[in-house]
Structure formats: C-alpha cells, structure tokens
Amino acid sequence: MSRPTIGDQELALLHYLAEHEPASVGEVAAGFGEARGLARSTVLTMMERLRGKGYLKRRQARGVYRYSTATGPAEAMRSAVGSFVEKTLSGSVSPFVAYLSERADVSDAELAELESLVAQLQSQRKER
C-alpha cells in the first residue's frame, strides 16, 4: 500500500530531519523553521502530520520527543514524483522527459543515472 502524498514543504522538512535526526521539535523549528519564517507550532503540526502519514517516528527521551525518519527522503521523493506524474501529467512521463531534455543544467552524473534507469526499463520489458 502506498503512503499518503506529501507537499513540497513537508518534503523539505523530511530532508532536513534526515540530515539532523533524531531531533526535537524545538531543534527543527530553530534549524528549519526560522529560516522559512515558520512558527514552532507550524513545524510541530507539519511533523505530526508527517508522523501520521508514516514518514516520521518519534521516541521520548528525557521527557522530550525526538523525531527521526521512518522512511528515507528518497522514498518520500519517489512518492511525490509518482503523485505528480499521476495527478498532474495524467500518468504520462513524456512531458517530464521533455522538460529534462530542455534543461541545460542536467549534470553528467544525473544523465548517467537517467541512462541507467532507461536501460533498466528496457531490460524489464524484454523479460515480460
């Protein structure tokens, strides 16, 4: 079963927490929220929403909840991209690939990764 989708701000928070886990709400509010003009209560709401969706877990230590990722940011990113492709692009990846082909700043490493993914897709089709 797939997880509920998350928004851009939630994804950014998930990335931040993955680099700073485990962290308290106060720590995340100071390190992530302040730079974005988010109140501590907003950060708490976002973190609890992500916990409810299964992306974060929390553990109490010395009377303070410490949050960490239940999944990696990569899984959250795949979910967000999948949702975008399904909802916005009606399931077609062609517009996304066209966008990438027009982007001038695709790095050599990203291009190599894309080529590897295409080779993997071709291999899977041959196996069917």
Side-chain angles (χ1 to χ4, degrees), residues 87-107:
K87 292 179 181 175
T88 306
L89 303 179
S90 301
S92 174
V93 296
S94 297
F96 184 69
V97 174
Y99 163 77
L100 289 176
S101 72
E102 295 168 1
R103 241 179 87 192
D105 59 344
V106 175
S107 70

Side-chain angles (χ1 to χ4, degrees), residues 1-7 10 49-50 52-55 76 79-80 83:
M1 185 169 107
S2 65
R3 292 179 190 232
T5 59
I6 63 175
E10 289 175 320
R49 198 174 287 149
L50 284 168
K53 292 178 180 181
Y55 290 101
S79 174
S83 176

Side-chain angles (χ1 to χ4, degrees), residues 39-96:
R40 183 187 185 284
S41 60
T42 303
V43 172
L44 171 60
T45 299
M46 290 173 61
M47 291 172 73
E48 281 300 308
R49 198 174 287 149
L50 284 168
R51 190 171 74 91
K53 292 178 180 181
Y55 290 101
L56 293 182
K57 56 187 176 184
R58 72 178 186 188
R59 179 179 222 164
Q60 194 170 21
R62 297 186 186 115
V64 175
Y65 283 116
R66 313 276 309 161
Y67 290 77
S68 57
T69 56
T71 66
E75 182 180 328
M77 182 64 78
R78 280 191 297 275
S79 174
V81 169
S83 176
F84 173 78
V85 169
E86 290 303 317
K87 292 179 181 175
T88 306
L89 303 179
S90 301
S92 174
V93 296
S94 297
F96 184 69

Side-chain angles (χ1 to χ4, degrees), residues 20 35 40 110-111:
H20 298 89
R40 183 187 185 284
E110 289 173 316
L111 186 57

Side-chain angles (χ1 to χ4, degrees), residues 9 12-13 15-17 19-20 23-40 43 47:
Q9 189 90 281
L13 188 148
H15 275 282
Y16 176 86
L17 194 56
E19 294 174 3
H20 298 89
S24 69
V25 172
E27 292 165 348
V28 176
F32 174 83
E34 284 181 14
R36 292 165 175 78
L38 301 174
R40 183 187 185 284
V43 172
M47 291 172 73

